[in-house]
Amino acid sequence: YKRQIMSIITNVGDGLFLLLVAFFVFLFRSKKMAIILFIAFIVSSGLVQFLKHVVFENHMRPMYVFQHVKGFHQIKDFHYHLFQSFPSGHSTSSFVLFTFLAMNFAKNWQTKILCFIGALFFAFTRVYLSQHYFEDMFAGAMIGFLCMKYTQVFLQSKWLHLDQPLNK
């Protein structure tokens, strides 16, 4: 039962979910923040895909290694990937999203810690579901955090005009 729930909530780390959040931020909050989130996502995703498909293309996923082990639990109707494990893209997207939330919406350190716990939880679903090893999750988390942090730091002051009302 827990694995079925995890197989659903792991989608918070999917890039499409992050793009949906960026779209809503753009519509209802701030064009500048949405563009910064989108750029951090593009940079981090590009880096992850390069690492997965070029540098670590032969890094097998846990299910590849354990698929023939008797008693290894699998979720019925869950699509397991077997190849290109390193780094975890879902972990990257989770950390981009929750770092963004912590930097832009968290009012105190307790809320920032909750954002970190949320990012860690959604990243960990990938390990729990045998889609990644811990090091895949950790590397993805670091890529996501650093891409979001540096994108925000470098672009925050450069695009102040994006949130200004148009003068007529």
Side-chain angles (χ1 to χ4, degrees):
Y1 180 72
K2 285 187 275 186
R3 288 188 182 257
Q4 283 85 4
I5 292 172
M6 291 293 232
S7 69
I8 294 167
I9 62 175
T10 194
N11 292 314
V12 167
D14 190 271
L16 292 175
F17 183 82
L18 191 146
L19 289 174
L20 183 64
V21 170
F23 178 71
F24 279 104
V25 169
F26 183 84
L27 287 180
F28 300 112
R29 184 63 184 214
S30 163
K31 292 174 191 158
K32 177 182 64 175
M33 285 195 305
I35 291 170
I36 289 171
L37 177 57
F38 180 73
I39 289 172
F41 169 70
I42 293 298
V43 170
S44 65
S45 295
L47 180 57
V48 165
Q49 292 308 312
F50 173 77
L51 291 171
K52 277 181 179 286
H53 295 281
V54 176
V55 180
F56 298 104
E57 67 180 324
N58 294 322
H59 193 83
M60 303 305 172
R61 292 180 186 246
M63 186 52 70
Y64 178 86
V65 175
F66 299 113
Q67 65 186 328
H68 300 296
V69 173
K70 186 178 178 183
F72 188 74
H73 183 70
Q74 296 183 27
I75 301 170
K76 184 179 169 143
D77 298 325
F78 183 75
H79 177 69
Y80 287 96
H81 297 280
L82 302 177
F83 309 102
Q84 299 163 327
S85 182
F86 187 86
S88 167
H90 279 74
S91 298
T92 301
S93 293
S94 292
F95 271 82
V96 166
L97 177 60
F98 283 94
T99 301
F100 170 79
L101 294 174
M103 292 176 74
N104 293 288
F105 296 103
K107 304 273 189 239
N108 53 46
W109 66 269
Q110 293 95 336
T111 310
K112 290 180 183 194
I113 289 175
L114 282 175
C115 287
F116 173 72
I117 291 169
L120 201 57
F121 173 75
F122 290 110
F124 180 74
T125 63
R126 307 307 288 167
V127 175
Y128 185 84
L129 293 169
S130 302
Q131 289 290 75
H132 289 286
Y133 297 101
F134 178 81
E135 60 267 18
D136 305 339
M137 179 195 83
F138 182 78
M142 291 297 94
I143 291 168
F145 170 77
L146 292 171
C147 284
M148 184 67 244
K149 182 76 173 167
Y150 288 111
T151 301
Q152 178 114 6
V153 167
F154 289 131
L155 299 180
Q156 182 72 19
S157 63
K158 293 177 179 21
W159 292 346
L160 292 174
H161 67 280
L162 288 175
D163 289 325
Q164 302 296 324
L166 295 173
N167 292 329
K168 292 188 177 188

